Amino acid sequence: RKRVKLDQLMVGREGQVKRSKGEEVEEGKAERVEGGDDEDGGYGALLKVASRSHKVYEDINNAEGIVPWGRDTNLEKTSGEGVDWHKEQKNDLFLKGQSRRIWAELYKVLDCSDIVLHVIDARNVPGTKNEHIAKHLSNNAKHKHLVYVLNKIDLVPNWVAKRWIGELSKERPTIAFHASMTHAFGKGALIGLLRQFGKLMSDKKQISVGVVGYPNVGKSSVINTLISKKSCKVAPVPGETKIWQYITLMKRIFLIDCPGVVVDSLGDSETDSVLKGVVRAERLPDPTEYIGAVCDKVKREYIGACFGVPHKGDGTWESPEELLDLIAKKNGRLKKGGDPDRFMAAVSVLNAFQRGKLPWFVAPPDLKEGEGGEAG
């Protein structure tokens, strides 16, 4: 057995920690620990120095005056011997919109576009706003113009849309929009803005306008509204647009439709992905798991009015399972033996939630003092 040499220089950081805020922490001095012929004595000295170093570290880390982000935290051990832990893997169904092909399509559109229209769902602005696009353009393409299009404003109260427009306008030009072939809102303002950009870029023969955003926010519907005809294939489900495509808006202005891209860095759970509309409800292995989250976001009277079930009094529901039973019996969705089909009932609830039949929205930030306005 190879003998360990202990007669070496071992340093113990033994500083004096000043706990009063604003005072500096003095550095410790080096000590020479000599190990004799006795092996136990050498290891004992080593253990003594290690204990002192640990105590000094704890004192410094817990001292006052250290900023929170400069302080070490007690991280939970997730690997190594004796730890039975593994990273939870998401189902492939919840990785839609994150493939390399989809990201390649997005960067193609960003590279080819002179103007980028970022379509955002007015019901969930923080969840459908892609910060990665703004950072990419700011760092790599400062000459490109980014415009926020707040779509589906007809599904939220006026004061909510107004407040979110005020918040987004602090960063980029923002236009409120309602995509419709007959009763569109914001179409004239958006076309006028694109014409102004066209005058600024008079030296270019053609101007490309890329339309990007999360799945199911209405990118293709915005394009169809601008050109007043169904040029892009649309559907009330995510993933309808597979590849980017050029559409002529005017003589010099062309629109580019892009598939929806999901940014996984937001740390969305499976429930968040379902409620955002990233996943189709009929493809879920068990859609009944997400009905509780829908009930938390939508008021009972709206659910009762949408599906024709009582929301108060006798015969109402007390749990998501009872709600699914009422909806299944109301719509005649029964299995063999007369049992209610909760699967199909849950799919209908999720579809109603994703397509705007159940009203809900993420509240905008509160107004600061001096900004004026009411909560509505």
Side-chain angles (χ1 to χ4, degrees):
R1 180 180 177 183
K2 186 179 295 185
R3 188 177 183 84
V4 181
K5 296 181 179 180
L6 295 176
D7 49 337
Q8 54 183 334
L9 182 64
M10 289 176 286
V11 178
R13 297 185 58 83
E14 190 175 11
Q16 297 179 357
V17 182
K18 301 297 184 180
R19 293 189 176 276
S20 58
K21 186 176 181 180
E23 296 186 8
E24 298 182 355
V25 179
E26 297 182 3
E27 296 290 342
K29 59 181 180 180
E31 294 182 357
R32 182 180 180 85
V33 179
E34 304 235 353
D37 295 335
D38 185 9
E39 185 177 358
D40 294 337
Y43 277 112
L46 179 61
L47 180 60
K48 185 177 180 181
V49 173
S51 300
R52 287 203 305 267
S53 299
H54 177 71
K55 182 179 182 304
V56 172
Y57 165 77
E58 291 293 338
D59 293 340
I60 295 177
N61 189 49
N62 299 325
E64 296 182 2
I66 299 181
V67 292
W69 50 87
R71 190 189 307 272
D72 290 343
T73 57
N74 295 326
L75 300 178
E76 182 181 359
K77 187 178 180 182
T78 58
S79 61
E81 186 178 358
V83 177
D84 184 13
W85 182 92
H86 65 280
K87 184 177 180 181
E88 183 180 358
Q89 297 291 336
K90 280 190 175 181
N91 191 323
D92 292 341
L93 185 65
F94 298 94
L95 300 179
K96 300 296 183 182
Q98 304 178 29
S99 64
R100 184 175 299 178
R101 182 189 70 82
I102 295 295
W103 278 100
E105 296 290 332
L106 172 64
Y107 283 113
K108 285 180 186 178
V109 173
L110 294 180
D111 292 341
C112 297
S113 301
D114 302 302
I115 305 168
V116 179
L117 300 181
H118 184 4
V119 183
I120 301 174
D121 192 338
R123 297 174 297 173
N124 188 4
V125 174
T128 56
K129 180 184 176 185
N130 193 338
E131 298 286 354
H132 177 79
I133 296 176
K135 292 180 180 179
H136 174 75
L137 295 179
S138 299
N139 297 332
N140 304 314
K142 296 182 179 180
H143 61 284
K144 297 181 184 291
H145 302 277
L146 177 62
V147 179
Y148 290 143
V149 178
L150 192 64
N151 194 24
K152 302 183 181 182
I153 61 170
D154 57 310
L155 302 180
V156 299
N158 292 335
W159 67 271
V160 175
K162 181 178 179 181
R163 189 83 59 82
W164 276 122
I165 290 173
E167 291 293 326
L168 295 175
S169 298
K170 298 177 182 178
E171 305 174 12
R172 303 281 181 170
T174 306
I175 293 180
F177 202 87
H178 167 42
S180 174
M181 299 298 294
T182 55
H183 301 89
F185 180 83
K187 176 181 176 181
L190 185 54
I191 292 179
L193 180 62
L194 296 179
R195 285 177 175 171
Q196 292 181 10
F197 281 124
K199 293 180 180 179
L200 293 176
M201 304 176 186
S202 57
D203 56 329
K204 295 187 176 182
K205 293 184 179 179
Q206 67 176 24
I207 300 173
S208 299
V209 181
V211 183
V212 299
Y214 261 73
N216 203 31
V217 295
K219 299 180 294 297
S220 300
S221 299
V222 170
I223 293 177
N224 290 339
T225 301
L226 291 177
I227 63 179
S228 298
K229 64 179 181 180
K230 294 183 179 180
S231 178
C232 297
K233 189 176 180 181
V234 297
V237 292
E240 188 64 28
T241 304
K242 299 296 187 297
I243 59 175
W244 68 316
Q245 50 185 333
Y246 261 95
I247 301 98
T248 303
L249 177 62
M250 302 177 188
K251 185 177 180 180
R252 293 178 56 240
I253 300 178
F254 297 86
L255 301 176
I256 309 176
D257 193 10
C258 175
V261 177
V262 178
V263 181
D264 193 36
S265 60
L266 294 176
D268 291 340
S269 62
E270 294 182 355
T271 302
D272 296 331
S273 300
V274 172
L275 298 186
K276 281 184 181 181
V278 176
V279 184
R280 299 190 184 188
E282 58 272 10
R283 295 183 179 178
L284 293 171
D286 187 9
T288 60
E289 297 179 1
Y290 312 100
I291 304 304
V294 174
C295 295
D296 294 337
K297 289 182 176 292
V298 184
K299 294 182 178 180
R300 294 176 61 90
E301 52 266 30
Y302 296 150
I303 298 177
C306 180
F307 296 100
V309 295
H311 66 276
K312 60 181 179 179
D314 297 334
T316 186
W317 71 91
E318 299 295 337
S319 65
E321 291 76 14
E322 294 180 2
L323 172 62
L324 295 178
D325 292 343
L326 291 176
I327 295 176
K329 293 177 181 178
K330 177 72 175 180
N331 298 332
R333 298 184 178 274
L334 304 176
K335 298 180 179 179
K336 292 182 179 180
D339 295 333
D341 190 351
R342 292 184 178 179
F343 183 93
M344 296 306 300
V347 169
S348 62
V349 172
L350 292 177
N351 285 335
F353 184 86
Q354 295 176 353
R355 300 176 185 182
K357 296 181 180 180
L358 293 176
W360 70 281
F361 61 88
V362 176
D366 295 333
L367 289 177
K368 297 180 181 179
E369 295 183 1
E371 290 185 354
E374 298 179 355

